[in-house]
Amino acid sequence: MSNTRNTSESQQQSQGSQKSQTSRNPNDNHPADDRPSPMEVLREARAQLAELTGMAAESVSSFEQTEEGWSLEVEVMELARVPDTMSLMASYQVELDTQGQLTGYRRVRRYERGRADPRGGGGR
């Protein structure tokens, strides 16, 4: 009789465990409703890019949610010059997954801080 009860309890625990696992994305360790907010994604993207490149992000010039996660364009100062308007800046395209972890980045543009884009746009 105790074997039957233990087996029944074991099956119930197993079913409960399976239910909790199905509410999670199998590719991450967070429940689906525990995704980072857009502001958390922005902060993490800036911090992760700075750690990888050694350059602090000055601003985020574009930000959008994609099917794969998030896509940002981040402006950084690559070389400080005097006067400051001559400092060398760069735009980096940064890709993050749905949890806000950086999956890739690339420099898409370099420019002097004091120069406007010739076409008034992204300069690509």
Side-chain angles (χ1 to χ4, degrees):
M1 200 64 144
S2 68
N3 260 354
T4 306
R5 186 175 57 219
N6 288 343
T7 302
S8 176
E9 288 173 4
S10 175
Q11 287 174 345
Q12 288 174 353
Q13 288 174 350
S14 176
Q15 289 172 353
S17 172
Q18 288 173 352
K19 285 180 185 175
S20 69
Q21 287 177 356
T22 58
S23 67
R24 292 179 174 218
N25 182 340
N27 296 325
D28 63 35
N29 295 327
H30 302 287
D33 61 347
D34 193 27
R35 299 219 168 140
S37 71
M39 288 307 297
E40 290 171 325
V41 171
L42 285 170
R43 286 186 201 106
E44 279 299 310
R46 292 175 63 145
Q48 290 176 60
L49 183 65
E51 186 173 345
L52 289 168
T53 64
M55 296 176 283
E58 291 206 353
S59 65
V60 175
S61 56
S62 78
F63 175 73
E64 67 179 310
Q65 190 168 12
T66 66
E67 289 181 14
E68 296 82 27
W70 303 89
S71 179
L72 296 84
E73 193 160 318
V74 180
E75 310 300 317
V76 301
M77 181 169 47
E78 289 197 332
L79 180 61
R81 292 185 177 158
V82 176
D84 189 49
T85 55
M86 298 302 290
S87 292
L88 190 58
M89 303 293 294
S91 293
Y92 282 82
Q93 184 70 39
V94 180
E95 305 295 329
L96 298 103
D97 64 17
T98 56
Q99 295 303 312
Q101 295 301 307
L102 194 139
T103 59
Y105 71 93
R106 65 187 166 93
R107 184 175 61 202
V108 293
R109 185 168 70 102
R110 290 178 90 182
Y111 58 97
E112 289 177 338
R113 185 188 293 273
R115 294 206 186 228
D117 287 334
R119 293 174 292 190
R124 290 186 198 169

